[in-house]
Amino acid sequence: TSVVINAVPAVYPVTGTGTYCASTGGDVTLSNSETGVNYQLIRNGTNVGSPVGGTGTALDFGLQTTAGTYTVSATNGTCSSTMSGSAVITITPVPNTTFTYSSYAYCATGTSPAATLSGSPTTGTFSASPAGLNFSNAATGVINLAASTPGTYSVTYTVAASGGCAVYTYTQPTSVVINGLPQSTTVS
């Protein structure tokens, strides 16, 4: 009977800490690896996927879309090592904000009610195309009807890039129409 003595796997750093958009996730990597050693990705104490065989070069565990603290354990036969450090992945939900107005046709006087926002985040701003629609409050979508030029407008809600997610825009499919006030006439 032979006795096999396995080497304890060398310790390499885990990288990938950051804030990422849920649509892409964050890449967790190990700076190096050893052939013949298996590396297990672990999130918050629970194995993620199957072990990956060492290649003698860096290992990429792929894009992770679940928030948590990721570590890596290496196993060589009966010997194991925990790799140094961890990757703390923070996930930002993909923006999905939409909006509606209680009405889409207005007279050119006063102000409109605020838009009703659905989804998240609600930190965006309203804009319109073509020029001529004046917002009293670009954060809530209140339109200054009296200061707007009569016409038909496409209204868009834009959320700035944040937390690893790209700029998000939602354009309301129903146009906003501002009708001019009737002209008064003098009857003699």
Side-chain angles (χ1 to χ4, degrees), residues 24-51:
T24 57
D27 203 15
V28 177
T29 60
L30 188 62
S31 68
N32 202 354
S33 66
E34 297 175 286
T35 55
V37 174
N38 288 317
Y39 296 87
Q40 177 65 57
L41 182 64
I42 301 164
R43 180 183 63 247
N44 300 335
T46 302
N47 290 349
V48 177
S50 299

Side-chain angles (χ1 to χ4, degrees), residues 106-109 130-134 144-153 176-183:
Y106 300 98
C107 290
T109 183
L133 191 68
N134 185 312
N144 183 339
L145 301 167
S148 296
T149 304
T152 301
Y153 298 94
V176 170
V177 177
I178 309 297
N179 296 303
L181 295 174
Q183 297 296 316

Side-chain angles (χ1 to χ4, degrees), residues 94-171:
V94 176
N96 64 355
T97 313
T98 62
F99 69 91
T100 57
Y101 280 105
S102 58
S103 175
Y104 293 93
Y106 300 98
C107 290
T109 183
T111 59
S112 75
T116 300
L117 294 171
S118 297
S120 66
T122 57
T123 55
T125 57
F126 287 87
S127 61
S129 178
L133 191 68
N134 185 312
F135 288 95
S136 296
N137 186 327
T140 63
V142 173
I143 302 168
N144 183 339
L145 301 167
S148 296
T149 304
T152 301
Y153 298 94
S154 178
V155 178
T156 299
Y157 187 74
T158 302
V159 175
S162 175
C165 294
V167 171
Y168 168 82
T169 59
Y170 171 78
T171 300

